[in-house]
Amino acid sequence: MHVVYPGSFDPLHNGHLDVIQRAAKLFGRVTVAVLENPSKRGQWWFTPEERVEIIRSAVAEAKLANVEADTFSGLLAEYMRVKGSKVIVKGLRAVSDYESELQMAHLNRQYGNHPETLFIMAATRWSFVSSTMVKEIARYGGDVGKLVPPSTAEALKIKLMVLP
C-alpha cells in the first residue's frame, strides 16, 4: 500500500524522521510530500527543493528504500488522487496537533478519492520537537544535532551563513 506523509518539513527533524521510519515499516511505499505554498515563500527557511533534498539524504542515511520525497501544491486530496494513494499519514505530538489534524482529515475526506488519514503518535523523546523550535535554537547558535538528522544539521549550518 502507498501512503503519503505531507507537511512543510521546514526543516525535517527527528520527530518527522521517526514517523517516516515507522510508516515505512507498516506500508510498502511512503511518499514524503513537501508542501509548496507560494504565498508563504518568505516564511520558510528552505525552498521546497532544498527540503526534498534534506529528506532524500536523511532517508538514504536511514536506509529506507521504500520512501521517496516529492513536492506538491494545491489541495492534498488532489495530489493523493494523482499519486494513486488513498491513505494520508500524519504525526501527532500533542492534543493541540490532534485538533487541527482532525479538521484537515475530515476536509480531505470530502475531496478527490476520499483519502483516509492515519495518525502516528510521536515517540515520547521527540514529542517536544518542532521545526519552529529547531530554527529558533539554530538561529541563536544552539546545538540542534540531537534534534535533527545529519542532513538537516548540515543544511542549517549552510543556511545560517547566508541568513541576515
Side-chain angles (χ1 to χ4, degrees), residues 46-65:
F46 296 97
T47 67
E49 296 77 21
E50 289 170 327
R51 288 179 267 156
V52 164
E53 190 52 43
I54 291 168
I55 293 164
R56 286 180 179 151
S57 294
V59 164
E61 290 165 1
K63 296 179 175 45
L64 300 172

Side-chain angles (χ1 to χ4, degrees), residues 7-54:
S8 60
F9 307 105
D10 185 44
L12 180 78
H13 55 68
N14 286 340
H16 295 134
L17 188 56
D18 176 61
V19 171
I20 294 167
Q21 290 170 319
R22 290 162 62 200
K25 288 179 185 174
L26 295 171
F27 301 102
R29 193 167 128 230
V30 178
T31 298
V32 181
V34 173
L35 175 63
E36 228 180 293
N37 186 342
S39 68
K40 291 187 173 184
R41 206 173 290 283
Q43 298 173 15
W44 287 335
W45 276 26
F46 296 97
T47 67
E49 296 77 21
E50 289 170 327
R51 288 179 267 156
V52 164
E53 190 52 43
I54 291 168

Side-chain angles (χ1 to χ4, degrees), residues 8-163:
S8 60
F9 307 105
D10 185 44
L12 180 78
H13 55 68
N14 286 340
H16 295 134
L17 188 56
D18 176 61
V19 171
I20 294 167
Q21 290 170 319
R22 290 162 62 200
K25 288 179 185 174
L26 295 171
F27 301 102
R29 193 167 128 230
V30 178
T31 298
V32 181
V34 173
L35 175 63
E36 228 180 293
N37 186 342
S39 68
K40 291 187 173 184
R41 206 173 290 283
Q43 298 173 15
W44 287 335
W45 276 26
F46 296 97
T47 67
E49 296 77 21
E50 289 170 327
R51 288 179 267 156
V52 164
E53 190 52 43
I54 291 168
I55 293 164
R56 286 180 179 151
S57 294
V59 164
E61 290 165 1
K63 296 179 175 45
L64 300 172
N66 63 332
V67 178
E68 65 182 8
D70 192 15
T71 61
F72 78 99
S73 60
L75 293 174
L76 174 59
E78 176 60 18
Y79 177 77
M80 301 288 295
R81 187 189 65 71
V82 168
K83 292 297 273 186
S85 178
K86 293 186 69 93
V87 179
I88 299 166
V89 168
K90 296 295 286 195
L92 296 178
R93 294 172 298 171
V95 172
S96 57
D97 287 346
Y98 177 74
E99 291 173 1
S100 62
E101 294 296 348
L102 178 65
Q103 288 177 335
M104 283 192 276
H106 286 308
L107 287 170
N108 282 324
R109 286 216 16 92
Q110 303 303 310
Y111 294 99
N113 63 355
H114 308 288
E116 292 291 343
T117 300
L118 299 178
F119 298 114
I120 296 179
M121 299 304 300
T124 303
R125 70 177 184 248
W126 307 124
S127 63
F128 65 93
V129 180
S130 71
S131 294
T132 301
M133 291 296 185
V134 166
K135 288 186 286 193
E136 189 75 7
I137 293 166
R139 182 184 291 279
Y140 289 104
D143 180 9
V144 295
K146 292 181 180 176
L147 305 176
V148 300
S151 60
T152 301
E154 185 60 30
L156 282 167
K157 191 183 310 178
I158 293 166
K159 185 62 72 172
L160 286 168
M161 289 182 208
V162 297
L163 284 178

